[in-house]
Amino acid sequence: MMGIVDEVVVLDSFSTDKTAEICKQLGAKFYQQAFAGFGPQKRKAVELASYDHILSLDADEILTDELKNIILEEKKKGLADAYSFKRRNIFCGSFIKHCGWYPDRKVRLFNRQKMNWNTNIVHEVVDVPQGINIVALDADMVHHTFDSYEQHLESSLKFAKLSVEQRKAKGKTSNWLVAACIYIYRFFMTYFWKFGFLDGKNGYLIAKVSAIYTFHKYWWREK
């Protein structure tokens, strides 16, 4: 990464493994902060950087050599305000080409003077103002998602809980009938409309978890 960027900033949420040790050994600027939600956490990481152009990656994402070379060429020409990358999602060891999981473009290289991550605690995105052109690079970053269905389900239920908190904060209410209808709709869209069946068993599992996540997002019991 140091050949692509001028510094590496890591904002950690008090990992209990060797994350801190490894980051410091590799020369990264290492900071820690209690997890505040995905959007706020990433905004804090942007704030800690020294330069205006930010290349933002999650811990489970890497750049392909092709994408690295393209970014280097862009740096030589002078960086634009915003770039999107295709994201190649790997699930249970397989590249998922359907289910709405590819090309799955994400803005991950941007000028922080003109834009930043939004404040969503889940499903955060870079908020690109109107009038700013997003340069779509024709190369992939690789996202290693889950090694098993169980991992995917557990993570999705955690995300659903965060989504519920976010919906409650916006005054949204729970409705089991809406949740049930959206459950069916989401499975159909992912498995059939987005050709998830072409990804075989993994496509079915992804569609199933997507539907379960949606149900729990829209139906909860007040404590």
Side-chain angles (χ1 to χ4, degrees):
M1 283 294 293
M2 291 305 292
I4 307 299
V5 298
D6 300 299
E7 67 174 358
V8 174
V9 174
V10 176
L11 181 58
D12 176 69
S13 300
F14 299 101
S15 297
T16 56
D17 55 15
K18 294 184 177 180
T19 296
E21 178 185 339
I22 293 170
C23 289
K24 291 172 182 177
Q25 285 178 351
L26 295 175
K29 295 181 178 180
F30 185 80
Y31 303 91
Q32 290 184 309
Q33 171 181 283
F35 185 68
F38 289 97
Q41 201 79 357
K42 290 183 178 182
R43 289 176 69 91
K44 180 61 178 179
V46 168
E47 179 185 319
L48 293 169
S50 304
Y51 302 91
D52 285 339
H53 273 89
I54 305 297
L55 173 60
S56 183
L57 297 176
D58 293 339
D60 55 6
E61 295 171 339
I62 60 174
L63 305 179
T64 60
D65 289 338
E66 180 185 17
L67 183 52
K68 290 178 184 178
N69 291 333
I70 291 175
I71 293 173
L72 284 173
E73 288 301 315
E74 290 295 319
K75 285 185 71 174
K76 290 176 184 177
K77 293 189 299 183
L79 290 171
D81 289 328
Y83 294 88
S84 70
F85 313 148
K86 292 184 291 184
R87 189 162 70 162
R88 187 190 310 166
N89 290 292
I90 308 299
F91 176 77
C92 294
S94 298
F95 169 26
I96 304 302
K97 299 178 181 179
H98 308 93
C99 298
W101 277 32
Y102 191 79
D104 191 27
R105 279 198 170 273
K106 304 293 181 185
V107 173
R108 290 303 180 82
L109 176 55
F110 59 92
N111 185 340
R112 69 175 177 181
Q113 294 296 332
K114 299 185 178 181
M115 67 203 78
N116 206 335
W117 291 96
N118 63 19
T119 57
N120 289 358
I121 61 173
V122 66
H123 300 311
E124 72 291 352
V125 295
V126 176
D127 229 344
V128 182
Q130 287 188 345
I132 289 184
N133 180 49
I134 301 174
V135 180
L137 299 183
D138 190 23
D140 296 355
M141 63 177 177
V142 179
H143 179 211
H144 291 279
T145 61
F146 306 100
D147 295 324
S148 69
Y149 164 77
E150 291 76 17
Q151 272 188 357
H152 188 22
L153 179 60
E154 180 182 2
S155 177
S156 292
L157 291 176
K158 288 179 181 177
F159 271 72
K161 184 178 180 180
L162 289 173
S163 292
V164 166
E165 292 175 12
Q166 190 163 271
R167 286 175 57 79
K168 284 182 178 180
K170 294 179 179 180
K172 305 292 185 179
T173 57
S174 174
N175 186 306
W176 73 267
L177 182 59
V178 169
C181 291
I182 295 179
Y183 173 95
I184 296 169
Y185 171 80
R186 178 57 67 90
F187 182 86
F188 178 86
M189 289 295 293
T190 304
Y191 193 64
F192 294 104
W193 188 256
K194 296 181 179 179
F195 301 104
F197 61 89
L198 294 178
D199 287 306
K201 178 182 177 181
N202 287 338
Y204 169 77
L205 294 177
I206 289 168
K208 181 179 177 180
V209 172
S210 179
I212 292 171
Y213 159 79
T214 304
F215 179 84
H216 286 279
K217 176 181 175 179
Y218 287 93
W219 169 242
W220 65 85
R221 294 186 179 182
E222 300 290 351
K223 293 183 180 179

